[in-house]
Amino acid sequence: MATHQAISTSDPDNYSGYRSFKMGSFDLRRDEYFAHIDWPNGQHVMSIDVFLRALQRTVAWNFFYGTINFDAVFGTLNHYGNVDMFAGRFNSGYREGGADYSENFDSDQLMAGLKDMLDDWTNAGYDPFAAPMETDKPYGRKNGDNKAAINRLRVTAERMVGVPGDAVPRSDETGHPVNRAFLDVDQSEPIIEAEPGFENEVCGFSLFAYLSRSDVTWNPSVCSVLRDSLYCPTSEEFILPIEHGNDRVEWFIQLSDEIHWDVKDRESGAPRAKVVMRAGDVAAMPADIRHQGFSPRRSMLLVWENANSELPGIIARGEAPVVPVIF
Ligand code: PHB
Ligand code: FE
């Protein structure tokens, strides 16, 4: 694996008016419809909407757990402090043909370049976090920017949404309207009658009301934290913009409507399962797969993550199984 850290950008150099970006030996440029990615032994093209939705998650989630596959070829692999940008690394055809390429970067340096690219390549009116029906199109020549949309921060509670001092707005405090798909969701908040002295400990909020007002899709917020246990609820519509290859088990609890999951082998991309989850269904995603969800209508999903930073090593060394239960 080559190690380069040079990240530079060039001035507008094509008719579309976007900047081109050099990240190590990767060259990235966009035109009216596509992102073009070149590396020393190959090149790739992706529809710009697919690319920007994936790039937005990569930036917002700081490379996330494990692998972010933008598609079957291009993505990033998080080593927590440093990160690989790869092409064909998790694609058996590229691997067997010796056509894969991977390069290691300091995480902060690469992130700065990716943020710059997201900002330059996102036009006014286009919101990569939004469902396709709730945003303008991303295509065409360079036209303004949308900094307010792309710099949204995820809600990350320290304890739980609604606990005094957590500084996280409850659903009725965000100012976001109820989404068109969730107009029937009860907006009342629970009445809490705590014993004197326990007012800071006994808390509650309506998670359904909270999610009904989410203005983004496929962007989990951390709503409760108990040691390494993170509850990350999210509202979903259309397609999870990445094929996520996790480095630990994660749980899904489908809170409303339905999501269809494509589950593939993490290394090769070979298909492994189709999982259709309807309201009330619970599934554990193994630590050796990649997955992508398809939500035909806006739905609510609870992603339950284990943030223990030793887990990837424990699983990689075979000291813990890749599934939560062996029957
Ligand atoms: C996941 O990769 O597990 C994931 C990411 C974002 C979501 C839901 C699931 O909104
Ligand atoms: Fe995942």
Side-chain angles (χ1 to χ4, degrees):
M1 183 190 300
T3 300
H4 296 279
Q5 301 203 338
I7 296 172
S8 62
T9 66
S10 68
D11 291 321
D13 64 350
N14 65 41
Y15 67 93
S16 315
Y18 297 98
R19 282 162 61 199
S20 300
F21 292 81
K22 184 163 181 56
M23 301 184 178
S25 299
F26 284 93
D27 287 304
L28 298 102
R29 65 184 171 86
R30 88 153 274 189
D31 57 25
E32 289 180 286
Y33 282 119
F34 299 110
H36 300 267
I37 308 164
D38 290 13
W39 59 93
N41 54 336
Q43 61 184 59
H44 188 52
V45 60
M46 288 182 64
S47 181
I48 195 62
D49 58 319
V50 176
F51 185 86
L52 288 176
R53 282 195 294 266
L55 179 61
Q56 176 69 80
R57 274 50 179 199
T58 309
V59 165
W61 306 344
N62 195 24
F63 300 115
F64 209 30
Y65 298 110
T67 318
I68 291 187
N69 296 289
F70 281 46
D71 64 359
V73 175
F74 180 73
T76 60
L77 173 60
N78 198 353
H79 301 294
Y80 308 97
N82 63 85
V83 59
D84 295 341
M85 181 178 271
F86 62 77
R89 165 69 185 79
F90 294 95
N91 178 310
S92 55
Y94 278 71
R95 292 282 277 178
E96 282 156 23
D100 61 306
Y101 183 77
S102 193
E103 201 165 318
N104 188 258
F105 296 85
D106 171 79
S107 298
D108 292 342
Q109 263 186 290
L110 185 62
M111 183 51 68
L114 295 180
K115 280 186 175 161
D116 220 11
M117 184 164 68
L118 177 64
D119 180 34
D120 188 73
W121 290 9
T122 303
N123 286 327
Y126 178 64
D127 180 354
F129 271 130
M133 279 198 280
E134 297 185 339
T135 177
D136 289 348
K137 293 183 172 60
Y139 312 116
R141 297 185 182 196
K142 173 77 179 153
N143 168 30
D145 59 49
N146 197 355
K147 292 186 197 303
I150 65 172
N151 292 322
R152 279 193 197 90
L153 289 179
R154 270 208 302 154
V155 174
T156 49
E158 299 289 329
R159 292 168 67 199
M160 191 185 85
V161 170
V163 174
D166 212 26
V168 171
R170 277 194 337 224
S171 54
D172 51 342
E173 298 164 346
T174 59
H176 297 316
V178 176
N179 184 268
R180 71 197 196 289
F182 291 139
L183 295 173
D184 56 343
V185 172
D186 182 359
Q187 295 295 312
S188 57
E189 291 292 331
I191 297 165
I192 296 146
E193 296 173 348
E195 287 290 321
F198 291 91
E199 293 86 350
N200 287 349
E201 304 296 330
V202 182
C203 300
F205 72 105
S206 168
L207 181 58
F208 284 97
Y210 180 89
L211 285 173
S212 73
R213 291 172 183 270
S214 169
D215 65 334
V216 290
T217 58
W218 306 104
N219 189 36
S221 48
V222 181
C223 280
S224 85
V225 183
L226 180 63
R227 299 196 188 94
D228 284 324
S229 168
L230 308 186
Y231 267 9
C232 311
T234 157
S235 69
E236 320 295 45
E237 185 173 330
F238 196 53
I239 304 173
L240 173 58
I242 62 164
E243 289 192 15
H244 179 221
N246 213 337
D247 50 19
R248 63 199 75 199
V249 172
E250 71 186 318
W251 291 82
F252 291 156
I253 302 168
Q254 189 70 36
L255 299 178
S256 86
D257 301 275
E258 68 181 46
I259 296 180
H260 298 238
W261 290 96
D262 264 2
V263 182
K264 303 176 183 173
D265 184 76
R266 190 182 58 189
E267 279 295 312
S268 69
R272 275 197 34 192
K274 296 266 185 190
V275 182
V276 182
M277 296 187 66
R278 303 212 169 87
D281 288 346
V282 178
M285 291 286 158
D288 61 351
I289 55 105
R290 70 182 77 176
H291 55 217
Q292 186 168 40
F294 299 74
S295 186
R297 287 183 302 156
R298 209 176 191 85
S299 70
M300 298 180 183
L301 173 70
L302 178 61
V303 181
W304 184 23
E305 289 280 4
N306 186 335
N308 182 343
S309 59
E310 290 174 14
L311 267 180
I314 292 172
I315 293 170
R317 290 192 300 274
E319 293 162 17
V322 294
V323 291
V325 186
I326 296 173
F327 294 104

